[in-house]
Amino acid sequence: MRGKLFVVGTPIGNLSDISPRGLETLQKVDFIAAEDTRVTAKLLNHFRIKKPLISYFEHNKREKGQIITDRILAGENCALVTDAGMPCISDPGEDLVRLCMDNEVEIESVPGPTAFATAIAISGMSAGRFTFEGFLSVNKQERKEHLESLKNEKRTMIFYEAPHKLKKTLSDFGKYFPDRQMAIVKELTKIHESVVIVNTNVAASLFDDREPRGEYVLILEAAKTDNKKEISPEQAKKLARELIDKGMSVNEAAKTVAAETGLKKSDIYKSLV
C-alpha cells in the first residue's frame, strides 16, 4: 500500500503559530523531508517530536526527490516542510509535489502561515489584486528582463528578499519604478517585526548608515492607471469642435482634448484652423 505526501506549513517566525493539525501530522508521519534539517530540528525539539529527517533542497532535489518518492511508494508517509511558511512557494518543494503527482502519490495539504499573505495584510497596501514575484534573479540579464516586464503591471507586486541583497533591490526599484509607494516588511511574527512605508525614490537611502538584518517582504504599488482616451485624430478634432461650439477658444479646446487623449495639442490645433 502506498504512503502519502503531506505538505505542511510551519511557522514563519513565532513557533506558537503552528497549527494543532500541523503538529499532529509531524507526529504521525514516518519521516520528514526538510529544506534545512537543522532549522526543522529546532521546531521538532521545541515540541518534543522525534522523527527521521531527510534533507531536500535546491541542490539535491533531483537525487533526494526520487529517494523520497520511492519511500512513499513503498508505503511510508512523508511530511514536506520548508524553513518557514508553506512549502512550494519560492521553494524546491514544488518539484517534489510534481514528482509525486507523476507517480500517482496522494498529496494532502496541511496549511500554515504564508509570508506574502501575512505581509500584505498588515502593510496597508492595496490587496484587491496582487501578483507574487518571489525572489529576483541574481543573473543580471534575467533580473533586468523581470523588472522591465513589471513596469506597467496594474496589480500590487510582492517580492521576497534576503538582507544581503536588499540594498541592490531597493536601488533597482527606484530605477525601474520611480515615485511609487512601497512597504518594506521585516521579520514577520518575530520581536522586531516592522512595516515601513516609503517612496521608491528614497527607499535605498534608508540603509545608507546601517546594514539590513532579517528577512524581508517588499510590497510595491502598481503602475498608475492611464485614464486617457484612445481615439483617432479625427475623433479628437470632433471633440474639440464640440467644445468650441460650447464657447471654448480653439487654443483651449485643443489643450483640453490633448490632456484627455495624449495626442499632441499642436496637431489638434492645426486640424481646427
Side-chain angles (χ1 to χ4, degrees):
M1 183 177 178
R2 296 183 178 189
K4 184 188 293 188
L5 177 69
F6 294 85
V7 179
V8 182
T10 55
I12 56 178
N14 192 320
L15 295 183
S16 298
D17 290 337
I18 194 164
S19 70
R21 182 165 164 241
L23 286 176
E24 180 186 0
T25 301
L26 295 178
Q27 289 168 337
K28 75 178 185 181
V29 294
D30 297 295
F31 70 103
I32 299 170
E35 181 183 10
D36 187 327
T37 56
R38 295 166 299 181
V39 172
T40 301
K42 291 178 182 178
L43 174 68
L44 298 179
N45 290 337
H46 181 81
F47 290 104
R48 298 179 180 179
I49 298 172
K50 293 185 178 181
K51 289 291 171 178
L53 292 169
I54 183 170
S55 172
Y56 177 82
F57 60 97
E58 184 64 33
H59 301 296
N60 74 358
K61 62 184 181 182
R62 288 183 180 276
E63 173 195 354
K64 293 297 180 69
Q66 192 59 57
I67 292 172
I68 293 167
T69 304
D70 288 343
R71 289 180 64 174
I72 296 172
L73 291 171
E76 293 186 80
N77 290 317
C78 172
L80 170 65
V81 300
T82 186
D83 287 353
M86 280 300 291
C88 310
I89 300 174
S90 285
D91 174 79
E94 63 180 300
D95 293 322
L96 179 59
V97 168
R98 279 197 296 267
L99 183 59
C100 285
M101 284 184 170
D102 289 343
N103 284 273
E104 299 182 348
V105 167
E106 185 178 354
I107 300 167
E108 185 172 316
S109 64
V110 185
T114 304
F116 73 79
T118 306
I120 198 167
I122 66 169
S123 71
M125 302 287 285
S126 175
R129 296 180 68 211
F130 61 85
T131 172
F132 175 64
E133 298 297 325
F135 290 95
L136 290 170
S137 175
V138 294
N139 178 282
K140 287 184 178 180
Q141 187 59 35
E142 291 178 3
R143 185 185 185 91
K144 179 181 177 182
E145 290 174 358
H146 189 171
L147 292 168
E148 287 280 1
S149 73
L150 295 173
K151 280 186 173 181
N152 297 312
E153 175 57 61
K154 297 299 191 293
R155 296 169 292 181
T156 300
M157 291 160 277
I158 305 177
F159 301 81
Y160 286 165
E161 195 50 279
H164 64 282
K165 296 189 290 184
L166 182 68
K167 290 183 181 180
K168 168 63 175 170
T169 295
L170 294 179
S171 178
D172 282 344
F173 281 7
K175 174 182 175 182
Y176 288 92
F177 315 108
D179 198 26
R180 295 197 202 179
Q181 289 292 98
M182 69 170 294
I184 302 175
V185 184
K186 183 181 80 168
E187 293 289 85
L188 282 165
T189 76
K190 300 176 184 176
I191 295 174
H192 299 293
E193 175 182 286
S194 67
V195 179
V196 176
I197 306 297
V198 65
N199 189 288
T200 52
N201 291 354
V202 298
S205 67
L206 295 179
F207 298 92
D208 282 346
D209 57 355
R210 60 192 173 99
E211 288 299 314
R213 295 182 181 277
E215 299 300 321
Y216 292 84
V217 181
L218 307 177
I219 305 176
L220 180 66
E221 182 182 32
K224 292 179 173 59
T225 302
D226 187 353
N227 293 318
K228 293 178 179 177
K229 301 174 184 176
E230 294 185 10
I231 62 174
S232 68
E234 280 301 315
Q235 290 172 312
K237 179 180 177 180
K238 183 179 178 182
L239 284 175
R241 282 290 179 197
E242 290 174 357
L243 294 175
I244 293 169
D245 291 342
K246 293 177 182 178
M248 193 176 284
S249 70
V250 173
N251 185 61
E252 281 300 313
K255 181 179 179 181
T256 300
V257 174
E260 292 180 354
T261 65
L263 297 174
K264 290 184 178 179
K265 173 192 169 184
S266 58
D267 291 341
I268 299 172
Y269 184 88
K270 288 176 184 177
S271 72
L272 296 169
V273 297

